[in-house]
Amino acid sequence: MSVATDDAPWLRRLLVMLALVFAVLIFLAPLAAVFTEALRRGIAPALEAIVEPDALSAMRLTLLVAAVAVPVNTLGGVAASWAIAKFDFPGKRLLVTLIELPFSVSPVISGLVYVLIFGAQGWFGPWLREHDVQIIFALPGLVLATTFVTFPFVARTLLPLMQEQGREEEEAAATLGAGGLQTFFRVTLPNVKWALLGGVLLCNARAMGEFGAVAVVSGHIRGATNTMPLHVEILYNEYMFVGAFAVASLLALLGLVTLAAKALLEYWTARPIGIEA
Amino acid sequence: MTAAATALRPARVGRATGRRALPGLGLSLGVTLAWLGLIVLIPLAALAIKPWQIGISGVVAVLLDARVLAAFRLSFGAALLAAIISLPLGLLFAWVITRYRFPGRRLLDALVDLPFALPTAVAGLAMTALLANNGWLGAPLAAAFGWQIAYRPVGVLIALVFVALPFMIRSVEPVLRDLALEGEEAAATLGATRMQTLWRVVLPALAPALITGFGLGFGRAVGEYGSVIFIAGNMPMATEIAPLLIVTKLEQYDDAAAAAIGLAMLVLAFLILLALNLLQRWVRRGRA
Amino acid sequence: MSVEIEAVTRDFGTAANPALRGVSMALRSGEFVALLGPSGSGKTTLLRILAGLDFPDAGRVLIGGRDVAQVPARDRNVGVVFQNYALFRHMTVFENVAFGLRVRPRAQRPANAEIDRRVRELLALVQIPELAPRYPEQISGGQRQRVALARALAIEPQLLLLDEPFGALDALVRKDVRRWVRGLHDRLGLTSLLVTHDQEEAMEMADRVAVMEQGRIVQFDPPHTLIDAPASAFVARFVGDANRLAASVHGGRLDIAGFGGFDAAGLPEGAAEIFVRPDDLRILPPRDGLAPGLVEWSRPAERGRWKMLVAVGEHRLEGYGERAFERGAACALEFQALTAFGARGERVSINGREAAPSLR
């Protein structure tokens, strides 16, 4: 770094100190609080809260919801990125905007929209009641709301990379006799696999940790429609703080693992993965 | 058949069948539109349609209710304030991360992403535990200054800063990283002081990114739910946020009112983001 | 393999500026043809249409006598070397070359041992057998070019398309590679189409050169014809380097601003353009009867001559002289041959010795 653009040493030190203090207060302290609150009475009560049946069923449900929402958004995200990056068609910019739309919608509204369609007073409410199909306050509602909230993640991480890589390799593959699927699996996918993995990880972290959207459609039926974050809320409201923070610690760990994996991927590929997507 | 006609025919057919160099547009676009339509567009259409079930006067009555107005004031006010606070804070973090080398820099860089990865409910619980009157931070603040943070609007504000700050940092950081030092060096050779250089060279270059970060942070904060409801205390007229009102209306089986509040939130947020977009365009005018 | 292109039109949505406007040309089997033109003249579009990467709005393309309007790129068996090579960056050099064989339908796919043998053979052909295990980012530009060529040849195409394939190479390597590619073309009995904006490259490599301007082929001839008899002012300007002078025709007399004029039968009244190659412009010491000028610079050139830039009024002309002149020295210009184009594209070649006395 050149001298002219160097800041005075005292200023550097001051700014670094300030940033570190704020980082501790804003980012590190909450994280530490989760784990210390969970272990306030030792490790045994925390473990108990985690292996308790309601907690286990919440975990199962969370995994199940993510197991549907993440593949759906991966498929959609890959298809959208392929179409947008490799072809020209009118309305492309609008399509990109619409795909990113769910990011600017409040999680609560993301749940609300499905209540408006499938709820008791919703468009299909009466029909669903007649046919004894439950969507809101049941698994399908949780899956839908989660899918909405995590909708853009994969597309947002893949699209910039695929646009940057252009179409030349795919065109070369075509002139060499490769078909559509061969081109996709042998040329396109290997070029974006790390970004795809990054997008899937972020999508998964958000899917498992989503709170507002599933709170609206869940109905809080313990052991049936409670995902992990909802289970945390219930425990907290019942003043079972250790249990709440113990389950919260698991979710925090999921977040930390995701961050670490993302950092690792970025290190490998020397390319940022837009987590803020 | 004339030669011209035979020459033209295959081309027309080619165009009609949408001949393209690469295969798969139909399939991928079909999947995309089905995915987008079923998950996002149709449900959002429901949000746009549902409120009018209670008529315009009904919608107006819902929105002009004092409790709803108070919640909107809190949600939008706190979100805007949080975005404003994250301007200098985000600039500080981005500057320190991109310009300085010090032990712990990489950790700091990773830590900044925490709010993206930490489930909102977990963040909410954690901040409540920290800032409550008996919390690590709340207790000393209460003892020393008599401040109470949790269950007050300021608690909401702090939670939203936590949510909005990373957007600011991650918007500014790449621009700051790519900003060639030559510009600053040139300014220095032209006799500018360091402050003049920062003010006249660096800050204008960062302005579009700052606006982007502001918009992203605000957009996320205004609809935030999980991080806020634990620390807010949720007192009507005081610390009740707009998304919570939607939940409340739904619990009262008042779907139309919930939809009206949701739609109003979206429209208002959209207008603010539109204004930011115009501001950004104005800031960028004349630039490539 | 012969190629026929008949009245091909391609329009990218802006009707005012179609990329191709009724292009017709035919390549004979075994011929090496260059498409030469400035950027935006439509040459790459034409190449992409032949490759099956783009499709014409009107017109017909026949490759080996077969109408390929409905044949997608993957079924054309046309070899393409892309501008930036478009190597598969996640595959080794070996796998890049093997790709075209591996993606064949199962029934036509060679066995692995056969693929291995063929790829080694191709890498030996392009003289980089040792690079097989490397990745594209680990090899030099010239080597990538060879990989791209080997990859294109792996599918045993009879038509080879080269899209500005030498642009990314530095000047020294480029000369070698050009010669070598042309040699390969002859040895393998290919039909090749080279897209380039470099006239030297086109002249050196091709049997015939098609000059493109704004979506049209304005001349399609062997290199020497382009030099000796450019079909239009555009070709004269683009091919070889020539001094250009604005002129006008009045009453059968051609006037070049600053030089006077001479009789010009065959040119219509109105504006005209004059082209004089530096080789046809002799710079002499001042002499009566020749146009006077001032030397701006002179530098030694081949065969003991000196190349000079001479100012005549507003004009700047390059020519050759037998000796050096001082900067600013007075001199005389002798036109040995020039070509004039009339307002509607009429071409008149003028023997300078006849015209010269009146140019002053």
Side-chain angles (χ1 to χ4, degrees):
Chain A
M1 193 175 282
S2 69
V3 177
T5 53
D6 264 355
D7 297 318
W10 67 266
L11 185 61
R12 304 176 62 135
R13 233 168 285 144
L14 177 71
L15 291 179
V16 169
M17 282 307 297
L18 261 179
L20 289 177
V21 168
F22 277 122
V24 167
L25 285 179
I26 298 175
F27 302 121
L28 208 54
L31 189 62
V34 175
F35 292 106
T36 49
E37 290 291 327
L39 298 174
R40 178 168 287 240
R41 296 210 204 100
I43 200 153
L47 279 180
E48 240 165 71
I50 289 171
V51 298
E52 171 252 338
D54 284 349
L56 287 178
S57 93
M59 282 175 217
R60 261 193 305 274
L61 188 62
T62 290
L63 290 174
L64 189 60
V65 167
V68 182
V70 175
V72 166
N73 285 337
T74 302
L75 182 71
V78 168
S81 304
W82 170 269
I84 293 167
K86 306 296 175 189
F87 298 94
D88 292 315
F89 51 88
K92 221 157 102 162
R93 283 177 61 116
L94 178 68
L95 187 58
V96 175
T97 308
L98 289 177
I99 287 172
E100 290 179 2
L101 190 61
F103 274 146
S104 40
V105 173
S106 169
V108 168
I109 295 176
S110 312
L112 166 68
V113 290
Y114 292 105
V115 176
L116 297 181
I117 293 181
F118 300 115
Q121 313 168 37
W123 288 353
F124 301 119
W127 188 89
L128 290 170
R129 199 167 37 236
E130 254 170 56
H131 294 78
D132 207 20
V133 180
Q134 185 97 22
I135 288 182
I136 298 307
F137 306 141
L139 181 64
L142 296 175
V143 168
L144 283 171
T146 304
T147 308
F148 186 106
V149 168
T150 58
F151 189 87
F153 275 100
V154 175
R156 264 297 281 270
T157 41
L158 271 192
L159 187 56
L161 179 62
M162 277 171 72
Q163 279 178 325
E164 192 183 301
Q165 289 183 342
R167 306 168 192 179
E168 274 208 331
E169 289 188 38
E170 283 79 8
E171 290 181 351
T175 65
L176 293 168
L181 289 178
Q182 283 175 322
T183 304
F184 178 75
F185 283 107
R186 286 170 179 260
V187 176
T188 309
L189 198 57
N191 274 335
V192 299
K193 61 183 173 209
W194 296 119
L196 177 63
L197 181 61
V200 168
L201 283 176
L202 296 176
C203 183
N204 179 65
R206 182 71 196 267
M208 291 190 170
E210 179 49 33
F211 178 70
V214 290
V216 172
V217 294
S218 135
H220 293 91
I221 304 163
R222 211 185 286 205
T225 62
N226 263 346
T227 60
M228 285 174 77
L230 297 174
H231 186 62
V232 169
E233 185 201 15
I234 290 184
L235 292 175
Y236 185 80
N237 287 342
E238 290 173 354
Y239 302 100
M240 295 162 75
F241 293 134
V242 167
F245 280 101
V247 179
S249 307
L250 280 187
L251 288 169
L253 275 178
L254 167 75
L256 289 179
V257 168
T258 305
L259 275 190
K262 172 197 163 255
L264 213 59
L265 282 177
E266 287 179 337
Y267 179 76
W268 275 343
T269 57
R271 187 178 198 291
I273 295 168
I275 191 173
E276 70 279 10
Chain B
M1 200 183 289
T2 66
T6 42
L8 282 175
R9 172 142 322 137
R12 287 292 155 231
V13 170
R15 193 160 236 203
T17 53
R19 227 165 222 318
R20 311 219 176 224
L22 300 172
L25 175 65
L27 178 67
S28 58
L29 202 57
V31 170
T32 303
L33 292 179
W35 172 62
L36 183 68
L38 290 176
I39 303 290
V40 176
L41 296 185
I42 293 175
L44 282 180
L47 181 71
I49 295 168
K50 187 76 180 182
W52 314 110
Q53 190 179 308
I54 50 174
I56 292 181
S57 56
V59 171
V60 170
V62 168
L63 296 180
L64 289 185
D65 176 48
R67 189 171 157 191
V68 174
L69 286 178
F72 268 77
R73 218 168 358 222
L74 177 65
S75 273
F76 281 83
L80 283 173
L81 207 52
I84 290 171
I85 291 172
S86 63
L87 277 172
L89 269 183
L91 205 50
L92 170 71
F93 276 104
W95 184 266
V96 165
I97 288 173
T98 53
R99 290 297 175 96
Y100 300 155
R101 294 291 169 269
F102 55 93
R105 188 188 66 90
R106 291 188 65 94
L107 190 66
L108 181 66
D109 192 11
L111 203 56
V112 159
D113 279 335
L114 189 73
F116 292 136
L118 202 63
T120 55
V122 177
L125 275 193
M127 281 188 284
T128 312
L130 273 180
L131 296 168
N133 277 343
N134 55 356
W136 292 354
L137 292 174
L141 288 175
F145 309 102
W147 291 354
Q148 196 187 337
I149 293 173
Y151 318 125
R152 295 286 165 88
V154 66
V156 174
L157 179 63
I158 289 177
L160 294 186
V161 170
F162 176 83
V163 165
L165 181 55
F167 287 96
M168 185 64 75
I169 300 173
R170 291 303 183 215
S171 298
V172 174
E173 187 201 308
V175 183
L176 201 52
R177 204 187 294 282
D178 292 345
L179 198 62
L181 285 175
E182 277 97 40
E184 288 168 60
E185 290 175 346
T189 65
L190 294 170
T193 67
R194 188 79 183 126
M195 274 318 289
Q196 284 172 320
T197 304
L198 293 180
W199 186 251
R200 288 167 180 271
V201 177
V202 178
L203 210 56
L206 291 181
L210 286 168
I211 295 171
T212 300
F214 190 98
L216 288 171
F218 165 77
R220 176 71 192 271
V222 77
E224 183 56 36
Y225 182 69
S227 311
V228 183
I229 53 155
F230 294 102
I231 203 170
N234 307 327
M235 293 289 298
M237 305 297 296
T239 59
E240 190 176 48
I241 54 169
L244 181 63
L245 263 186
I246 295 177
V247 176
T248 311
K249 294 286 181 197
L250 279 180
E251 278 166 2
Q252 295 163 353
Y253 300 102
D254 196 349
D255 284 14
I261 296 171
L263 186 61
M265 275 183 71
L266 273 191
V267 169
L268 201 51
F270 173 77
L271 289 177
I272 291 174
L273 292 176
L274 190 70
L276 283 172
N277 207 315
L278 293 177
L279 177 66
Q280 191 171 41
R281 238 178 246 191
W282 179 77
V283 165
R284 273 195 170 138
R285 74 204 177 283
R287 287 193 217 170
Chain C
M1 178 151 305
S2 69
V3 175
E4 283 142 82
I5 297 162
E6 293 170 7
V8 160
T9 298
R10 179 71 175 109
D11 177 350
F12 289 115
T14 48
N17 185 23
L20 292 177
R21 326 181 187 192
V23 169
S24 298
M25 72 187 292
L27 278 68
R28 298 178 207 117
S29 191
E31 197 175 21
F32 196 120
V33 168
L35 271 182
L36 176 66
S39 60
S41 59
K43 51 195 196 306
T44 293
T45 304
L46 188 54
L47 177 135
R48 290 173 62 83
I49 284 174
L50 285 175
L53 296 171
D54 200 351
F55 292 84
D57 299 322
R60 226 154 60 116
V61 176
L62 296 115
I63 297 178
R66 176 169 73 139
D67 187 328
V68 292
Q70 297 299 323
V71 183
R74 58 178 296 209
D75 296 328
R76 287 199 184 184
N77 206 46
V78 168
V80 183
V81 175
F82 289 80
Q83 187 163 9
N84 299 306
Y85 314 138
L87 296 180
F88 305 125
R89 69 198 93 180
H90 64 283
M91 291 181 203
T92 61
V93 165
F94 184 96
E95 284 304 321
N96 262 283
V97 178
F99 185 88
L101 302 172
R102 293 207 196 282
V103 296
R104 283 192 185 168
R106 203 172 294 276
Q108 300 160 34
R109 196 183 306 157
N112 270 335
E114 170 66 8
I115 290 180
D116 192 81
R117 192 188 64 74
R118 294 263 287 276
V119 172
R120 305 250 168 238
E121 207 176 274
L122 282 161
L123 289 177
L125 180 73
V126 298
Q127 299 162 5
I128 47 170
E130 72 285 0
L131 297 182
R134 307 277 276 281
Y135 283 89
E137 63 179 19
Q138 300 170 322
I139 60 180
S140 73
Q143 292 167 334
R144 278 178 212 169
Q145 219 259 343
R146 285 162 190 257
V147 177
L149 199 60
R151 184 180 69 176
L153 294 175
I155 57 171
E156 299 179 344
Q158 285 172 296
L159 176 61
L160 182 64
L161 306 175
L162 305 145
D163 188 5
E164 304 262 8
F166 312 113
L169 304 178
D170 59 64
L172 277 176
V173 181
R174 204 181 304 181
K175 288 217 163 200
D176 278 346
V177 175
R178 271 188 216 157
R179 213 173 308 139
W180 172 77
V181 168
R182 175 66 216 229
L184 216 54
H185 161 94
D186 293 334
R187 189 138 53 98
L188 300 178
L190 298 166
T191 304
S192 303
L193 183 75
L194 167 77
V195 160
T196 181
H197 64 269
D198 181 343
Q199 47 129 337
E200 200 184 314
E201 194 170 290
M203 299 296 206
E204 192 179 308
M205 293 183 73
D207 302 318
R208 284 194 297 162
V209 178
V211 182
M212 290 196 74
E213 180 195 9
Q214 294 184 0
R216 290 203 177 87
I217 290 179
V218 289
Q219 189 167 9
F220 185 23
D221 276 315
H224 66 87
T225 312
L226 294 184
I227 298 281
D228 297 343
S232 71
F234 174 82
V235 177
R237 204 160 52 218
F238 199 74
V239 177
D241 52 352
N243 297 297
R244 179 180 166 276
L245 298 165
S248 59
V249 179
H250 289 295
R253 244 182 105 71
L254 182 73
D255 282 300
I256 309 173
F259 286 95
F262 53 90
D263 286 339
L267 288 180
E269 299 285 300
E273 274 182 282
I274 309 291
F275 291 92
V276 187
R277 306 218 173 266
D279 260 330
D280 294 329
L281 183 62
R282 271 182 81 195
I283 314 291
L284 300 164
R287 180 188 299 184
D288 277 351
L290 290 181
L294 293 174
V295 174
E296 295 218 330
W297 53 251
S298 56
R299 66 166 174 78
E302 302 82 5
R303 284 183 279 138
R305 297 187 306 167
W306 293 77
K307 187 165 193 180
M308 277 167 265
L309 183 69
V310 177
V312 181
E314 297 289 298
H315 302 292
R316 296 287 180 281
L317 296 98
E318 285 187 355
Y320 288 93
E322 310 299 319
R323 68 172 183 81
F325 285 75
E326 293 279 302
R327 229 170 259 273
C331 65
L333 287 74
E334 185 185 42
F335 292 83
Q336 299 182 315
L338 49 82
T339 305
F341 287 95
R344 288 189 295 274
E346 302 82 352
R347 177 164 59 88
V348 176
S349 285
I350 295 157
N351 185 327
R353 278 182 230 285
E354 290 162 23
S358 40
L359 285 175
R360 68 198 72 203

